[in-house]
Amino acid sequence: MAESPRRLTELPGVGPRLAERLARLNLYTVADLLLHRPIRYEDRTRLQPIGTLRPGDRALIEARVEWSEVARGRRRRLLCRVSDGTGQLDLVFFNFHPRQAERLQRGVLLRCFGEVRAGYAGPQMAHPEHERVAPGDAGGVADTALTPVYGSTEGLHQGQLRKLVGAALAMLPDQMPDHLSAEDLPDPSWPGLKEALETLHRPPAETDPGGLLEGRHPAVRRIAYEELLAHHLSLRRRRQAVRSDRGAPVLKDGQGLSAVLHSRLPFPLTAAQARVDAELARDMAESAPMLRLLQGDVGSGKTVVAALACARTVGSGYQAALMAPTELLAEQHFRSLCGWLEPLQVEVAWLSGGAGAQHRRRDLQRVASGEAAVVVGTHALFQEQVAFRSLGLVVVDEQHRFGVHQRLALKEKAGGVEPHQLTMTATPIPRTLAMTAYADLDVSALDERPPGRQPVQTVVVSEQRRGEVIDRIRAALAEGRQAYWVCTLIEASPELAAQAAEDTAAHLREALTGHRIGLVHGRMSATDKEKVMGAFAQGGIDLLVATTVIEVGVDVPNASLMIIDNAERLGLAQLHQLRGRVGRGRAASTCVLMYHGPLSESARQRLAVLRETEDGFAIAQRDLEIRGPGEMLGTRQTGALGLRIADLGRDADLLEPVQQQAGDLLHGRASIAEALIERWVGQAERYGQV
Ligand code: ADP
Ligand code: MG
């Protein structure tokens, strides 16, 4: 059943030069070409009266030449006035052959296609495609299908592409057999693959091109469904492959360290934490490597779950590494893990870029010898000459998942065993989307907050009320509370953002004399940032002015007020993350979203969503609706999916049936699954794009 894809170079007329140009469009096989989606359609199926044309229309006309002349102005050009009885139009040619001028004699009947522009003496078409028609030549007046226009590249003409696509269509169904029957489709009235592809490239004259372009037409839905299915199958197959790899250490915690840690925690685990902990324990006790994503809202208590997994690893005689995206967070994790693990005689090392060379050498040594059982750091953990004695678990906080290549590199670092992996994210994505984008991972969710949290009251105010906002800070500080002021200006430039934060801090120092005001921004050295954050955490600073560097993970329970300046500039996920810095203690907390009007419609929606809910999963769902999945997952994620026809947002309703059918295919019709993966993802896999 596995089809061997026919290379485009096997088609007549495709030499190395043309093949190279097609490759620039990622077109290698006949199937690739058939899945190259038109970016628009032109209607050459009917003649349009000149009198009805407007500038910007692309139209087919049939008209008689009235006169033509070679005009000599700044540039020589051939002008040809035509008329069809409803109006007149000028054809303009700048580069022309002398014989062309002769052919456009008075009385000649022409059929032209081109874009209408407003010209000096009425409507014009510059360089229209045109042909002479014999008088009374009524047959074959026009095309019977809409004409596709493709995304192209230099040196590759629409005409060439259309011809190649035509040749490819003629090879159907041999070159692209339909693997799905009508019963396999979510809607049995959808066309089969051959018909769908023919409609995509040669829509019958009466087709609404909008439906094709926007993906509402059943032909496009049919193809999009197959594409989503193929991608999902490919991720599931990858997961199966990882599962069947028996190279991971079995971590059963013979020493019972995780149980000891559990019993000594100052709080009981939430039900969600206990559930996820059990899921991790089960995964890690197997020789197939764990690949698990932990989605948990800000403040849901992911760190302690990670600490329990680290204890379980160490209790099994292996090392655990925890990677954080910033020094600040790594340092905070280091402190938390030290607090929990050192009483259990577990040594925790911190590998930071900021540490001195001597320190670093000693820490590297401790990691290599296994003396340090747990290691915390930034991505430098996996880049440099860090060697582990026996790495059994890797936890990645607030990061996108590892790609295939990074996984292999990790395996090397771990001396050939495949470490278990836990990726944690505070940016939950909706369930259906997660199942599609993360089908190669198991997903756990911490969907419950530790008890005793006060809800955060969120208010939206215009910056014209800055004075009142400052009064509010004064009142909070007077009660012994702490506050954040987040500057969101000019993310693109760290210099300008730092400057803006410095100016704001200076203003606030004037307005709030007698209070201790600290400042952190991205231009400061890691040590300085850490000093300020440390002081804030210890209560030595009352108000912390910060750029968005504090976004992830920072935990200061006494801070109960957050002002987000220019809140309208940030996305929902980021605002939600920032807000999660408050509401961590016993006091009632407030988040003030201060905006500079006028607000765009989407900014208004974002701020309203935040005012309504604190539920990260609900916010993620709204984010999906407002922004669409591409933005939400980040370009890396959707780029990795590399969808050609489907759109995760528009076709979200297909994801559920895709999952079901993927299960059926993998179990019952594996060869079809293979063929679909090869057709849609084969290229990307061969060229190492996933
Ligand atoms: P996040 O999921 O955002 O990383 P953290 O792990 O930083 O959250 O936890 C936030 C705070 O909640 C920390 O101070 C942590 O000690 C505390 N915490 C975690 N789990 C519980 C629990 N079950 N009961 C009470 N407090 C908890
Ligand atoms: Mg965290």
Side-chain angles (χ1 to χ4, degrees):
M1 177 67 74
E3 63 203 56
S4 69
R6 183 94 162 253
R7 313 283 303 178
L8 286 171
T9 43
E10 295 169 36
L11 296 190
V14 182
R17 277 225 339 239
L18 184 51
E20 185 267 321
R21 286 173 187 158
L22 291 164
R24 269 189 255 148
L25 299 172
N26 278 322
L27 304 176
Y28 301 95
T29 63
V30 169
D32 289 342
L33 191 62
L34 287 170
L35 300 173
H36 189 48
R37 183 178 183 176
I39 49 175
R40 60 188 166 79
Y41 296 91
E42 289 172 350
D43 188 353
R44 305 184 185 197
T45 62
R46 59 205 162 87
L47 297 174
Q48 302 213 35
I50 293 175
T52 64
L53 298 179
R54 306 188 168 283
D57 287 352
R58 300 176 65 85
L60 183 72
I61 59 168
E62 191 171 275
R64 221 169 266 287
V65 176
E66 306 249 297
W67 50 257
S68 63
E69 64 174 27
V70 175
R72 287 162 220 280
R74 241 174 334 120
R75 273 175 83 189
R76 240 166 66 88
R77 62 192 202 278
L78 171 62
L79 265 180
C80 174
R81 163 84 39 98
V82 299
S83 114
D84 68 354
T86 70
Q88 296 182 327
L89 184 137
D90 289 340
L91 311 179
V92 190
F93 303 87
F94 287 104
N95 296 310
F96 56 93
H97 198 271
R99 215 172 302 141
Q100 198 173 348
E102 284 161 31
R103 263 185 314 196
L104 296 180
Q105 280 170 10
R106 178 180 169 82
V108 166
L109 189 61
L110 287 180
R111 194 167 298 148
C112 314
F113 182 86
E115 181 172 335
V116 181
R117 297 192 313 203
Y120 175 68
Q124 283 189 347
M125 276 185 187
H127 292 272
E129 294 171 40
H130 63 287
E131 61 179 351
R132 286 173 66 152
V133 276
D137 181 5
V141 162
D143 294 349
T144 52
L146 300 181
T147 307
V149 179
Y150 299 98
S152 190
T153 181
E154 212 183 308
L156 185 58
H157 305 294
Q158 291 298 325
Q160 281 174 294
L161 270 171
R162 282 180 203 134
K163 227 169 101 193
L164 284 170
V165 170
L169 284 172
M171 297 177 173
L172 285 174
D174 289 6
Q175 276 304 305
M176 241 177 125
D178 196 344
H179 297 303
L180 303 174
S181 64
E183 299 87 76
D184 289 327
L185 302 174
D187 183 337
S189 75
W190 285 353
L193 184 61
K194 179 168 188 284
E195 190 188 332
L197 288 168
E198 277 163 355
T199 305
L200 185 71
H201 294 288
R202 292 186 174 162
E206 67 282 2
T207 315
D208 162 30
L212 288 173
L213 295 172
E214 287 151 32
R216 283 175 273 117
H217 194 287
V220 186
R221 296 271 286 166
R222 160 66 184 75
I223 305 171
Y225 177 73
E226 182 177 311
E227 177 170 41
L228 290 171
L229 182 61
H231 278 274
H232 188 74
L233 284 167
S234 143
L235 289 170
R236 292 257 291 249
R237 192 185 57 173
R238 208 186 298 161
R239 180 164 64 168
Q240 275 181 347
V242 171
R243 281 245 179 83
S244 64
D245 179 345
R246 298 276 138 193
V250 173
L251 305 178
K252 291 190 166 167
D253 194 4
Q255 302 169 35
L257 273 184
S258 57
V260 177
L261 173 56
H262 191 171
S263 69
R264 292 199 190 174
L265 287 174
F267 44 72
L269 293 182
T270 62
Q273 283 170 323
R275 188 186 66 232
V276 173
D277 183 51
E279 284 167 354
L280 299 185
R282 202 171 49 229
D283 283 4
M284 291 166 66
E286 286 191 27
S287 59
M290 167 169 84
L291 282 186
R292 194 170 274 280
L293 175 74
L294 174 54
Q295 298 201 56
D297 213 344
V298 274
S300 59
K302 293 185 288 296
T303 319
V304 71
V305 172
L308 286 164
C310 289
R312 182 166 296 116
T313 308
V314 178
S316 316
Y318 279 84
Q319 288 171 296
L322 193 163
M323 179 170 100
T326 64
E327 296 263 333
L328 215 64
L329 272 178
E331 210 265 333
Q332 184 180 294
H333 282 318
F334 176 65
R335 261 195 311 235
S336 307
L337 290 188
C338 283
W340 284 321
L341 295 172
E342 284 191 342
L344 313 183
Q345 319 306 325
V346 174
E347 281 205 33
V348 186
W350 185 33
L351 282 186
S352 111
Q358 210 179 340
H359 242 267
R360 189 173 163 74
R361 210 165 330 150
R362 214 200 60 213
D363 281 329
L364 283 173
Q365 172 53 32
R366 286 169 69 215
V367 175
S369 70
E371 187 192 340
V374 176
V375 191
V376 183
T378 57
H379 61 285
L381 261 187
F382 302 113
Q383 285 181 339
E384 297 167 36
Q385 345 76 318
V386 187
F388 294 85
R389 193 176 68 85
S390 56
L391 184 60
L393 170 71
V394 175
V395 183
V396 185
D397 193 18
E398 310 291 3
Q399 272 273 323
H400 285 298
R401 59 184 164 163
F402 282 112
V404 177
H405 303 294
Q406 285 152 309
R407 253 191 50 224
L408 294 178
L410 259 184
K411 190 165 174 170
E412 222 150 83
K413 242 186 206 325
V417 301
E418 175 126 23
H420 296 281
Q421 272 178 52
L422 174 65
T423 301
M424 307 197 291
T425 175
T427 318
I429 60 175
R431 194 171 141 268
T432 45
L433 197 51
M435 289 190 295
T436 306
Y438 299 131
D440 55 343
L441 302 175
D442 293 301
V443 180
S444 296
L446 280 183
D447 45 11
E448 177 188 1
R449 291 180 176 224
R453 293 276 166 76
Q454 300 266 5
V456 178
Q457 195 207 352
T458 300
V459 292
V460 178
V461 306
S462 154
E463 63 96 26
Q464 288 166 347
R465 290 165 58 195
R466 187 173 283 257
E468 290 166 48
V469 171
I470 292 175
D471 290 343
R472 203 164 190 155
I473 300 176
R474 196 177 288 116
L477 301 190
E479 284 173 21
R481 304 264 148 236
Q482 290 166 281
Y484 295 96
W485 183 292
V486 185
C487 301
T488 61
L489 275 162
I490 323 170
E491 275 176 281
S493 154
E495 282 83 11
L496 291 177
Q499 185 59 49
E502 272 169 19
D503 293 348
T504 305
H507 277 125
L508 291 170
R509 283 198 181 104
E510 266 172 42
L512 296 164
T513 43
H515 293 290
R516 296 161 300 177
I517 296 174
L519 172 65
V520 280
H521 56 67
R523 291 275 96 181
M524 290 164 59
S525 75
T527 341
D528 287 346
K529 266 192 287 196
E530 193 188 312
K531 226 183 261 163
V532 178
M533 282 307 304
F536 187 61
Q538 312 294 309
I541 285 175
D542 304 312
L543 172 65
L544 182 67
V545 178
T547 54
T548 46
V549 295
I550 60 152
E551 186 184 346
V552 278
V554 180
D555 189 30
V556 182
N558 190 48
S560 63
L561 175 61
M562 172 173 283
I563 318 300
I564 305 180
D565 202 352
N566 287 106
E568 77 281 1
R569 290 174 192 249
L570 299 185
L572 261 181
Q574 213 179 358
L575 287 167
H576 176 61
Q577 292 281 314
L578 281 168
R579 179 173 60 178
R581 302 304 112 220
V582 292
R584 297 188 153 231
R586 302 263 154 209
S589 296
T590 306
C591 178
V592 178
L593 303 175
M594 201 158 72
Y595 67 88
H596 294 229
L599 286 176
S600 70
E601 182 49 35
S602 74
R604 190 186 310 280
Q605 282 182 27
R606 288 199 297 275
L607 299 183
V609 170
L610 281 164
R611 202 169 39 198
E612 280 158 25
T613 179
E614 264 194 85
D615 176 345
F617 285 91
I619 289 175
Q621 184 62 43
R622 287 306 312 274
D623 205 13
L624 177 64
E625 290 158 18
I626 298 175
R627 282 199 301 166
E631 297 262 328
M632 186 156 187
L633 291 173
T635 40
R636 257 174 71 192
Q637 298 283 332
T638 37
L641 281 180
L643 297 175
R644 293 183 250 188
I645 308 280
D647 178 303
L648 284 178
R650 186 192 64 218
D651 299 318
D653 61 317
L654 300 182
L655 297 177
E656 206 70 65
V658 156
Q659 318 238 356
Q660 278 177 18
Q661 180 149 51
D664 294 349
L665 286 180
L666 283 172
H667 295 123
R669 292 186 282 167
S671 58
I672 289 185
E674 283 307 312
L676 289 175
I677 293 171
E678 174 64 31
R679 175 180 295 171
W680 285 94
V681 196
Q683 241 13 279
E685 279 189 345
R686 266 195 297 283
Y687 291 84
Q689 289 160 3
V690 280

